[in-house]
Amino acid sequence: MDKKLKSILKSQIESYLQKTPHASDGKIIKWLYIGAVPGPDTLNAIKKESLRSFVVYQKKKFAMHGFCADHLKGNGRPSVPGRKIAQVKRLMNNKERRSTRSVSKRVGVSQTSVVRIMKKYGYKAYHKYKVQKMSDEHKERRVECARMFLSVYGRRVRNDRKWGKIINTDFSAKITTFATRNSKNDVIWSLSRESAGDMLDAPEEKFTKGHMIWGGVSYRGLVPRTAPIFAGDLYNEYEPKPKTINSIMYADMIKEKAGPAVLEVYPDGSGVFQDDGATIHRAEVSLRAVEETFTSRVDHTTQAPKMADVWPIENVWSILKGKVAEKECSNDQQLKKAIIAAWREIDDDKALCRHLMASLPHRLQAVIDKEGRQIQKEDY
């Protein structure tokens, strides 16, 4: 319905209501078809539901104000008083576990009005981030660590500078054949449950199969280049097989697998090895293996715990899991091939690896700016 037609119908409805203010919706619509200026042909082109809702809308305005003028906005209800608007903002602004429903009941306005008020004054509903649980001591150590790195390694990241030599390494979480399911977004649009059939099944394994891998990211690409080191392959080299990776296995991996892989990327031996503060990384046998294998390493005593939001290897795991999930692997062999293919694809994207490492000084500065709190992408 265009503006010109709306204006004509408003004046027609207003003139009719002035004579018969208590006329029903049906009588007004019938009169419009008979005596309105646009004529029945024009009105027939408008959906009946739209015309009826328009008439109801104008009746409300007429009942409240006595006229249906073009400049009159709203649906005829009185506006929310400023006192209640201030109360809504005070109750909603930066409050945890505060629903629009509870606030609407408390203030005495509709739930829709609460949402409208918040949006009108520039508020937005933000979802919470998943963050690491940190104490004040953790935050202080994170700030100290960030300042140390910026002081020692500087703020510029280039191939021939210190940041360009660091290899950030870690073990991933288990990468499984079934991607993590988001129950809110994982929906099927269908006419009925029966017509959707098997598409509504969300298969889950009681004991999910998967692979935990080890690898690193540097300014020159991933380490190792061709494929990550699979924890399952490490297990198979030991008898009896341990329940999990221990410091002896980690030390052997450093000497026999990680060392040669780093030399392949940094043949001149200039690579600077870095791992986190996990228990197996800080065992005496592990520290000795790292010292014997690499000429340079990031001093483990100066590193702070809870730095997963800073090191880009976590971004690599996220990207890799996304690529593997697209393959929809049905068995362990397919999963392993998909992981290797995704690893090589990320390594081929040298610009991505450089971008991740180049963001390190910005991430560290963000940790300082936020006084040690968890950082997000928008912070750097």
Side-chain angles (χ1 to χ4, degrees), residues 237-256:
E237 297 175 7
Y238 293 84
E239 288 293 343
K241 291 181 175 61
K243 292 182 180 180
T244 185
I245 294 178
N246 55 37
S247 56
I248 295 174
M249 292 173 63
Y250 183 71
D252 292 343
M253 185 199 74
I254 291 296
K255 289 185 285 188
E256 297 169 12

Side-chain angles (χ1 to χ4, degrees), residues 105-138:
K105 289 181 178 179
R106 187 168 172 180
V107 177
V109 296
S110 69
Q111 193 174 351
T112 307
S113 294
V114 173
V115 175
R116 179 177 52 78
I117 289 166
M118 297 306 289
K119 288 184 177 180
K120 180 180 178 181
Y121 289 94
Y123 294 93
K124 293 181 181 179
Y126 294 98
H127 291 284
K128 286 189 174 184
Y129 295 113
K130 289 184 178 180
V131 298
Q132 305 171 91
K133 189 175 181 179
M134 289 187 287
S135 64
D136 290 339
E137 184 181 355
H138 285 137

Side-chain angles (χ1 to χ4, degrees), residues 322-379:
K323 291 180 180 293
V324 170
E326 293 174 358
K327 303 295 182 182
E328 298 182 353
C329 306
S330 58
N331 57 55
D332 187 71
Q333 188 177 8
Q334 289 180 359
L335 177 62
K336 195 168 185 178
K337 287 182 178 179
I339 291 172
I340 293 172
W343 184 266
R344 291 176 180 174
E345 189 177 339
I346 296 170
D347 180 61
D348 288 340
D349 191 351
K350 303 299 184 187
L352 171 63
C353 296
R354 288 194 295 269
H355 174 73
L356 290 173
M357 296 305 290
S359 69
L360 270 168
H362 304 289
R363 297 181 190 220
L364 293 166
Q365 184 58 50
V367 170
I368 297 170
D369 294 340
K370 294 193 71 174
E371 298 178 343
R373 297 190 302 276
Q374 179 97 15
I375 62 171
Q376 307 296 337
K377 174 63 179 175
E378 55 266 27
D379 295 324

